[in-house]
Structure formats: C-alpha cells, structure tokens
Amino acid sequence: MRASFRVIFFLFCFLWTFPVYAESLCANSCASDSGTVYHGIEYCHIQDSTHQIFILKVDLQAKGIKPFVNPKEKGMTTSKFASKYGVQVAINTAFFNGSGALGFQKSNGTVYGTDGYHAIGFDQNNKYYQGDTDAIHDLMYNATSGSPVLIKDGVKQSFSSDSFQTSKHPRTAVGADKTGRYFYMVVVDGRRTKRQGMSTSTLADCLIALGAYNGVNMDGGGSSTMVVGGKVKNSPSDGSERSVRTHLGFFADKTCTPEPEKCNNIDDDCDGQVDEDNVCCVPETEVCDGKDNDCDGQVDEDNVCCKPETEVCDGKDNDCDGQIDEDNVCCKPEVCDGKDNDCDGEVDEDNVCCTPEPEICDQKDNDCDGEIDEDNVCCVPEVCDGKDNDCDGQIDEDNICCEPEPEICDQKDNDCDGEIDEDDVCCVPEICDGKDNDCDGEIDEDGICPEECEPFEEICDQKDNDCDGEVDEDDVCNVPEGCKPSEEICDQKDNDCDGLVDEEDVCREPESCVPSEEICDGKDNDCDGKIDEGCTDSKDDSVDADVYLKSPDCSSHPGHPADKPLSAVIIMLILAGLFTLRRNRSKL
C-alpha cells in the first residue's frame, strides 16, 4: 500500500511539473552543432537524457527568404522535396490519407486539399497568417494546415483528453511571434528511450518558450522530419523518412549581398532593418492617419490631426495654435526646484525651500509656517519694565515692581511677598468685642468680658460702661469743640480734653496732707478725698453748685448731698434760701 502511494505521488509530481520542465527545456541553450545556417535562418538543437528537439527560426524579412509549399503530388520524403525544389530548409506539415493532404493547402497561389483543419500561410511579401476563413485563405500565397491549434493570440489553448494529445509522440509544429517577423519550425523525436516525444500541451509550452504568439500542431509520429542543407537533422521514429503529401520549405541565401533597400518587406541592404528610410513612401499630402504621407520622415506633422480644444498641460498643442502648454496651463504650486512653478515671476518664493526646524527667538521663520517667533518663543520671566515679558497678557504682574518694606497693618503688601497684613501686624490687646483682637485664636479670653455687666452712661475709659458690647462708642472720647488740652487738675473740669473730669485721682491729697477743718475753698482740707463737703457758702461765685451733682451714681464727687445726713441737707437748703432772699431785698 505504501509503495503504491509513493508511485502515485511520484507520478503526480512529475505530471504537475512536466509542462514547466518542457517550457524551460525549449528555452535552454542550443547544442554545439547549432547556429546560423543561412542568412535569416538559425538552427538550434536542444537535448537532454530523454529529449531531442530540433528548431529552425526564420527571419521572414531577411533578404533571400521565401516560403514554399509543394503543389499537389502523390507524396515524397522531406529530403526529396528539398532537393526537387531547391529549398534550403524544410519540414513535413499536413496530415494525409490515401486521398491526399488533409486541410487547406496552397502552393504559389494554387489551392488544393480539403477544409476542416487549421491553416497557416504567407502572402507574397512573407507576411504570416493563421486562420480558417476564406478571407484569410485568399491572402495566403503559400499555405498548409494542421491540428490542433496550440497558441492563439498569445493564449495557450485547451486540449482534449484523448491519447493522441496527452501521450508523448514525435511531433512537428509551427508558429510565429507577435510581430509576425520570426517564424518557428519545431520537430521533436519520440518513441525511443532517450527520445520520448511530447504531448500537445507540452509542445505548446515549448513554442511559447521560444517566443511564439500563434502556433499549430502538424502531422507527427513517423512523419516528423527536418531537413537542413539537404541533410535530415532528426531521427524519424520509423527508422527512415516517411513519404508524405505536403512539405513547407524556405529558400535562403548562404550569405547576404547588400543591395539598395526597396519597398518589399525584405532587408535588402542586410542591415537588419526592413523598408527603412521611407523606401515605401509615395509622397502625398499629409493627413491625420498615423502615417508619413508626405514622406518627410514625420508622421501627422503640422497639426493635421489637431482638433481645437482647451489647452491643458500635457506636452501637446491642444488648441491647435502651434504652441504647446502656453498661457500658464502648466503652472502649479511653487516647489523648491529653482523654477517659477506658479508662473508669478518669482522663483522658490513663500518659504518653499524652507527646512522646518523648531521655532526659536531669532526674528526668523524657523518652522516654515510663515510666522516669525510665534508660540511665545521669545517669552522670558516678567521684569519691571512696563512690558508683558512672560506673554501672559499682564504687565509687571506678581508684585514684580514692588520695593520691600516692613509689613504694617494697612491692607497692603508692604514686604512684597504676595500677602497682605501677614504675621499678625494688625493684632492688638484683647477687648470684650466678640473678636480675636490679639490674634491668638481665642475671642474675649482671660475674663475680658465681666460675667454680669451693670450698665451706666458710656465714658471714655476703654471699657464697655453701658454693656452693649462696644467700648467708648458714640464719640465719648472725642475732644470737645474749642477745648484746649492742658494738665488735668482737681477743678471739676475736663482740662486735658479727654472727656473725663478730674480723672486719675487729681483731687486726692498727697500723703503729706495735714487734716484740718473743711472749708468752702475748693480743696480737701480734711484729707478725706472730698472737696468742700458741707460747704454752705461759696466764696467763689464762679463755682456753680452743679459741680456737686455730676456723678451718675450720686456718690463719686465730694460735696454731694448724699454724703450728708438728711437733716444737714435740709438745713443747707434753708440757709441757701435765706441768703437768696436777703440779697434780693438789698437790691430793692
């Protein structure tokens, strides 16, 4: 089982690769017996361990080359055909039977044979044709037929599965390249160990490898024969040449004798070119037909093909005015090439030659965007110069112009640190006002506010006398209008203009006071801290009795009636009344 699998696998690989092998084989180098045998004809012999291939390549435009197909005859070998008609090279061609050649045959214009096969042939100027219509047949001067078609217009054809086409046999085939200048004749030996032959498919591959664009298979087997210079080059499978009905041969010169070039599709001057230098030209008026009608070596010149259209940039005279690409039609965006691409009279303008680099502050367009020093590349830290140095839209911000001074409590940043009234510069001793005056985080601490406040009239003493939470409010400490400050003395007046009368114990006698009887003289005679208490007669009319009634608590000033017994008060009032009555009578 394993051995059978190996055989099948080997056969599959062989059959898969054989067409490629055949194609590559026909492209191999020719053997040493190969070369140019006649002017315009090259002979090539290719061989390996299992193949012998013989090839003739004919230049149909070479001087002296003429194709020829034998007229209708009973039959002869290929070497006899070459000898009888004097052709230099020849091969067998058409299939035949007892009645004669099969397919369309034509010899120097004379037709014989039958239809049903695929014809190839040449006109009198050696032009190659391949086809099966009457029109094509009429163009041929010498023709023969075969089957099947191997290649048509560059495409390898499909082949049937019958053994005639799939089996390896001796083969004969012909074909021509795409230009029709080169014609190929191929003979493959077969039916021998080292000459196995080819299938029609591999034969087509071989023609393609040679350069054929069209090709047809001819009669093969024992008929396959190639003759060059009167000698049979291959080894016919019958052991000797077979007599066949149709042959194709070529007349050729051994060497080329140059002659002036004529209009005949032949290389008369042996330079490899055909009908050059306008030898076929008959001067006529130039017309738009892709030809040199006036034989001046130019085709369709002088705008004969021009149909006026809008001029575009295409290297052509679109508007038929004799100018090409005029009116700036080829203008395009400027590029860096030393040219005026946009047709504005300037070369390489608008930074087209600029090589982008990071923008820096140098009054140049470093990044090639048409802007200079953009994106704040020239910004620097702010300084005090009336400019926006750091490009933030502000001038001299962040106290840049500030001259530092010690911080004071004035709602300003005196020390230029960005803070206002920091470091407790606004702190004062704590008072009872519901605020943290001394900045220690506590409010009205240390018993500054009495637990039970007894309200009385507010006076200027830095206390909340009326218990309303405010100290010395209502301008009690304001200096009275017209008051001229002087040292406070004990005279029941506000001498120092501070809103207080006889403050700071100015009326208290010094410790050296020697007590004596109190008299009405504005002094503390008895050294008890009170003045003129019990005084019944004022020696100084300028002292108003109201001075004894100043204190709101009715006890803070000497001489107040509250300091005496009620009877003394009554006596003082009676005496005052009598004194007033006596004064009034004396006036009367």
Side-chain angles (χ1 to χ4, degrees), residues 556-567:
S556 62
H557 296 289
H560 193 279
D563 295 331
K564 303 296 182 180
L566 181 57
S567 60

Side-chain angles (χ1 to χ4, degrees), residues 9-21:
F9 179 76
F10 173 77
L11 290 174
F12 173 79
C13 293
F14 177 77
L15 292 174
W16 178 264
T17 59
F18 185 73
V20 176
Y21 170 73

Side-chain angles (χ1 to χ4, degrees), residues 492 520-522 531-535 537-538 543-551 554-555 557-563 572:
Q492 293 296 315
C520 186
D521 61 359
I531 299 173
D532 294 342
E533 66 270 21
C535 183
D537 187 13
S538 176
V543 179
D544 196 326
D546 290 340
V547 300
Y548 304 112
L549 301 174
K550 292 292 185 180
S551 177
C554 302
S555 63
H557 296 289
H560 193 279
D563 295 331
M572 287 177 66

Side-chain angles (χ1 to χ4, degrees), residues 24 31 61 147 252 295 366 406 508:
S24 61
Q61 295 179 346
S147 182
C295 307
N366 310 100
R508 184 178 296 278

Side-chain angles (χ1 to χ4, degrees), residues 60-113:
L60 296 175
Q61 295 179 346
K63 183 182 179 182
I65 296 296
K66 277 293 179 183
F68 176 73
V69 174
N70 62 277
K72 183 176 181 180
E73 298 183 74
K74 291 185 177 180
M76 66 182 78
T77 64
T78 305
S79 59
K80 177 134 186 220
F81 160 75
S83 174
K84 180 178 179 178
Y85 293 102
V87 295
Q88 277 65 52
V89 296
I91 60 171
N92 70 292
T93 57
F95 292 91
F96 65 94
N97 58 23
S99 300
L102 301 177
F104 180 78
Q105 317 293 324
K106 198 172 189 180
S107 175
N108 286 344
T110 300
V111 177
Y112 67 96

Side-chain angles (χ1 to χ4, degrees), residues 330-584:
C330 288
C331 292
K332 55 187 178 181
E334 195 74 10
V335 296
C336 182
D337 59 358
K339 300 179 182 179
D340 180 16
N341 310 102
D342 56 5
C343 311
D344 65 352
E346 298 183 38
V347 175
D348 297 340
E349 70 274 14
D350 301 327
N351 270 342
V352 294
C353 290
C354 185
T355 301
E357 298 177 359
E359 192 75 9
I360 60 175
C361 182
D362 60 358
Q363 291 296 311
K364 297 180 181 179
D365 181 15
N366 310 100
D367 57 4
C368 310
D369 64 353
E371 299 183 40
I372 295 176
D373 296 343
E374 71 275 15
D375 301 327
N376 292 336
V377 294
C378 290
C379 293
V380 295
E382 194 75 10
V383 295
C384 182
D385 60 358
K387 299 179 181 179
D388 180 16
N389 310 102
D390 57 4
C391 310
D392 65 352
Q394 303 180 66
I395 297 176
D396 297 341
E397 69 274 15
D398 300 328
N399 272 340
I400 199 71
C401 293
C402 186
E403 296 180 1
E405 298 178 358
E407 190 76 10
I408 60 173
C409 182
D410 60 357
Q411 290 297 308
K412 297 181 181 178
D413 181 14
N414 310 99
D415 57 2
C416 308
D417 65 352
E419 299 183 43
I420 295 175
D421 296 343
E422 72 274 15
D423 301 329
D424 296 340
V425 294
C426 289
C427 294
V428 296
E430 191 76 11
I431 61 173
C432 182
D433 60 357
K435 299 179 181 178
D436 181 14
N437 310 100
D438 57 4
C439 310
D440 66 352
E442 299 184 30
I443 298 175
D444 298 341
E445 70 273 16
D446 301 329
I448 198 71
C449 294
E451 293 184 2
E452 294 183 5
C453 182
E454 296 182 3
F456 59 89
E457 182 180 359
E458 191 75 14
I459 61 174
C460 183
D461 60 357
Q462 289 297 313
K463 297 182 181 180
D464 181 15
N465 308 104
D466 56 6
C467 305
D468 65 352
E470 299 184 37
V471 177
D472 297 340
E473 70 273 15
D474 300 329
D475 295 330
V476 295
C477 290
N478 286 348
V479 177
E481 186 175 354
C483 182
K484 295 181 179 179
S486 61
E487 184 179 358
E488 190 74 13
I489 60 174
C490 184
D491 60 357
Q492 293 296 315
K493 296 181 180 180
D494 182 13
N495 309 101
D496 56 5
C497 305
D498 64 354
L500 301 175
V501 177
D502 296 341
E503 70 272 19
E504 299 178 358
D505 295 335
V506 296
C507 291
R508 184 178 296 278
E509 292 294 334
E511 294 181 0
S512 60
C513 179
V514 178
S516 63
E517 183 181 358
E518 189 75 18
I519 61 174
C520 186
D521 61 359
K523 298 180 181 179
D524 181 16
N525 307 102
D526 55 6
C527 303
D528 64 356
K530 300 178 183 179
I531 299 173
D532 294 342
E533 66 270 21
C535 183
T536 59
D537 187 13
S538 176
K539 293 181 179 182
D540 186 0
D541 291 340
S542 65
V543 179
D544 196 326
D546 290 340
V547 300
Y548 304 112
L549 301 174
K550 292 292 185 180
S551 177
D553 61 1
C554 302
S555 63
S556 62
H557 296 289
H560 193 279
D563 295 331
K564 303 296 182 180
L566 181 57
S567 60
V569 174
I570 295 172
I571 292 172
M572 287 177 66
L573 292 174
I574 293 173
L575 290 175
L578 291 174
F579 176 75
T580 301
L581 179 61
R582 190 175 61 179
R583 288 181 63 184
N584 291 336

Side-chain angles (χ1 to χ4, degrees), residues 169-227:
H169 291 292
R171 301 283 183 182
T172 299
V174 297
D177 73 346
K178 189 174 183 178
T179 67
R181 178 171 180 172
Y182 296 103
F183 180 73
Y184 303 95
M185 296 184 287
V186 178
V187 171
V188 181
D189 279 350
R191 296 175 183 169
R192 296 184 184 180
T193 302
K194 295 184 178 181
R195 303 169 185 265
Q196 295 182 359
M198 289 184 180
S199 67
T200 52
S201 177
T202 53
L203 185 62
D205 291 330
C206 181
L207 276 176
I208 292 173
L210 295 174
Y213 190 72
N214 288 286
V216 177
N217 178 64
M218 295 294 166
D219 184 18
S223 299
S224 291
T225 307
M226 176 178 287
V227 174

